[in-house]
Amino acid sequence: MAYDVLLLPGDGIGPEVMREGRAVVETVAKLTGAKFDLSTIPSGGQYYLEHGQKRDWPEGSEERCAKADLILLGAVGWPSPDGKGPVTMPDGKMAGWSPVIGNRTRLDLYANMRPVKLLPGVQHRVHGKHRTIWEAGKVDIVFFRENTEGLYSGIGGILAPGGNKTTAVDARVITRAASERIIRRAFETSRKRNGAPKDKKKRVTCIAKDNVLRGCQMFVEIFTEIGKDYPDIEKDFAIVDAFTQWLITQPEYYDVCVTTNMFGDIVTDLASVLQGGMGLAVGCNIGDKHGMFEPIHGSAPKHAGKDKANPIAMILAAAEGLRWLGDQKSDAILGRAARAIEDSVAAVVLEGKTLTYDMVGEDRARPMSEVGAAVRVELEKRLK
């Protein structure tokens, strides 16, 4: 029986990077015998504008997502025709909310897992055109961000007497149930890893603002309670603002980090700098029964249709999705394929000849399609 894999390409560069992700999944099928039933649902701001500004994806999409074995998401968000930010719907939500935040809530994808790992050969640009090879092995972190509540719970609104917006309220919601399950997942993940690069200690860092915020105080209390069940793992605490500078100056200290929704959204984007930028960063939205995997770089409308964007994050998202699906279905073939995809990406990055502009600069850049093809060539070597 074929696995039901649902593709949500979205807006901007989303459809382009999704083509590369799909091609990798199809290569896995061809070389391993794994069977995938791949189908696509359009969604996002462009869909909303082109279909009467009623829905940001077709009727029945919610039910279709609930039936899928695996969901891969490209990116959503498209500029409003009036030039004032992204396209929004009458309820104030960005067009593209349904496949992203909506799926996280409806499918209870409570764990946003973001692996941050520096591959050998990755360059960074300190300023201007100056480029330096980063030292591989110093960055290997997994972040867990609570994905269903916090400031993204949707509780709040705007007061606009006489049509004039005077007051905006966003209520932050932290519950024991949601906190417990994301924190426990962080500890369980640390047990399976090799520890922090600096000292090989298994360590979970709780990131909060508990010196000010009541929700964070409860989150830290729950972290401390659950931590007692894991005496083999070091418990670490960080105030979120201080953590941002520690993350950049000593990333090798961190193994697994766990935090609330908004803080997690911010610190993981910062952490992506440590692995070479957004073009390499993956977001895994995981629940007990469903999983949705995506690059975190956004729709980048200015690069749409230019065969220019970096497809590696989407390819790595497909790898993470296959690994998760293999675990769900006890299918070792998918786990082997996921590792082969990651090794193939690492080989292309280390060689340094076929990479996009964000990794090597405009003068040496290769098109997105060539990067995807180079990864598939390496993948065939590993899966034949």
Side-chain angles (χ1 to χ4, degrees), residues 156-207:
I158 294 177
L159 297 178
N164 297 315
K165 297 179 180 179
T166 62
T167 307
V169 177
D170 293 295
R172 181 171 179 251
V173 178
I174 305 296
T175 67
R176 174 168 289 275
S179 299
E180 285 179 348
R181 62 185 181 176
I182 192 68
I183 290 168
R184 194 167 294 279
R185 187 178 277 265
F187 276 106
E188 290 293 332
T189 298
S190 181
R191 269 191 173 165
K192 298 173 184 176
R193 285 168 48 84
N194 297 319
K198 179 179 181 178
D199 52 17
K200 302 305 178 184
K201 286 186 178 180
K202 296 180 186 295
R203 176 183 295 117
V204 179
T205 301
C206 179
I207 305 165

Side-chain angles (χ1 to χ4, degrees), residues 9 29 37 55-56 100 106 130 137 155 215 230 267 280 287 323 337 341:
D37 182 6
R55 284 176 57 90
D56 55 356
V100 183
R106 280 188 305 272
H130 176 69
I155 298 175
Y230 299 88
V267 299
L280 292 164
R323 176 178 289 111
I341 294 170

Side-chain angles (χ1 to χ4, degrees), residues 268-279:
T268 52
D269 276 14
L270 175 61
S272 73
V273 174
L274 298 170
Q275 65 189 125
M278 292 287 198

Side-chain angles (χ1 to χ4, degrees), residues 76-349:
V76 297
W78 192 249
S80 174
D82 62 12
K84 298 178 180 179
V87 176
T88 57
M89 299 183 288
D91 60 3
K93 296 173 181 174
M94 185 182 76
W97 183 95
S98 298
V100 183
I101 308 299
N103 264 349
R104 291 175 182 174
T105 303
R106 280 188 305 272
L107 303 179
D108 199 19
L109 307 178
Y110 62 86
N112 185 282
M113 182 184 78
R114 293 197 182 178
V116 177
K117 187 173 183 177
L118 178 61
L119 298 175
V122 173
Q123 297 178 320
H124 73 98
R125 186 163 48 191
V126 177
H127 60 83
K129 294 184 178 180
H130 176 69
R131 290 183 174 272
T132 306
I133 297 291
W134 282 7
E135 186 177 353
K138 294 294 186 182
V139 180
D140 187 359
I141 312 168
V142 174
F143 286 86
F144 281 97
R145 159 192 168 196
E146 202 292 316
N147 211 26
T148 60
E149 53 180 35
L151 276 171
Y152 295 168
S153 63
I155 298 175
I158 294 177
L159 297 178
N164 297 315
K165 297 179 180 179
T166 62
T167 307
V169 177
D170 293 295
R172 181 171 179 251
V173 178
I174 305 296
T175 67
R176 174 168 289 275
S179 299
E180 285 179 348
R181 62 185 181 176
I182 192 68
I183 290 168
R184 194 167 294 279
R185 187 178 277 265
F187 276 106
E188 290 293 332
T189 298
S190 181
R191 269 191 173 165
K192 298 173 184 176
R193 285 168 48 84
N194 297 319
K198 179 179 181 178
D199 52 17
K200 302 305 178 184
K201 286 186 178 180
K202 296 180 186 295
R203 176 183 295 117
V204 179
T205 301
C206 179
I207 305 165
K209 188 69 176 175
D210 55 313
N211 57 339
V212 176
L213 301 176
R214 297 296 179 86
C216 282
Q217 290 169 3
M218 189 173 80
F219 191 82
V220 171
E221 288 175 8
I222 295 168
F223 177 87
T224 302
E225 293 170 9
I226 292 176
K228 294 176 182 177
D229 295 337
Y230 299 88
D232 52 319
I233 298 175
E234 181 177 312
K235 273 67 72 175
D236 182 42
F237 301 86
I239 301 295
V240 63
D241 45 334
F243 174 78
T244 58
Q245 53 110 3
W246 294 334
L247 176 65
I248 296 302
T249 56
Q250 52 175 342
E252 65 274 14
Y253 176 78
Y254 296 103
D255 173 23
V256 175
C257 299
V258 64
T259 188
T260 55
N261 206 336
M262 174 61 84
F263 292 155
D265 198 1
I266 295 168
V267 299
T268 52
D269 276 14
L270 175 61
S272 73
V273 174
L274 298 170
Q275 65 189 125
M278 292 287 198
L280 292 164
V282 175
C284 311
N285 303 278
I286 301 169
D288 293 331
K289 297 180 180 179
H290 303 279
M292 180 173 72
F293 301 80
E294 60 180 315
I296 69 171
H297 50 52
S299 59
K302 68 180 181 180
H303 294 315
K306 298 179 181 179
D307 196 21
K308 181 177 182 178
N310 193 338
I312 289 178
M314 185 73 247
I315 291 169
L316 291 175
E320 291 286 356
L322 292 178
R323 176 178 289 111
W324 172 83
L325 183 58
D327 289 342
Q328 291 288 106
K329 304 296 184 179
S330 299
D331 188 339
I333 291 176
L334 300 187
R336 183 170 71 90
R339 182 54 187 261
I341 294 170
E342 292 169 344
D343 289 346
S344 299
V345 167
V348 170
V349 170

Side-chain angles (χ1 to χ4, degrees), residues 17-81:
V17 297
M18 184 61 78
R19 281 195 293 270
E20 301 304 325
R22 177 174 186 147
V24 163
V25 173
E26 291 173 336
T27 300
V28 167
K30 180 181 70 173
L31 297 174
T32 67
K35 292 181 171 58
F36 304 103
D37 182 6
L38 296 156
S39 57
T40 300
I41 292 180
S43 60
Q46 289 172 288
Y47 179 90
Y48 179 76
L49 291 175
E50 293 167 1
H51 292 80
Q53 300 185 33
K54 295 180 180 178
R55 284 176 57 90
D56 55 356
W57 59 354
E59 292 279 356
S61 297
E62 293 88 348
E63 294 77 10
R64 182 68 187 82
C65 287
K67 293 178 181 178
D69 292 315
L70 170 65
I71 302 170
L72 298 180
L73 172 69
V76 297
W78 192 249
S80 174

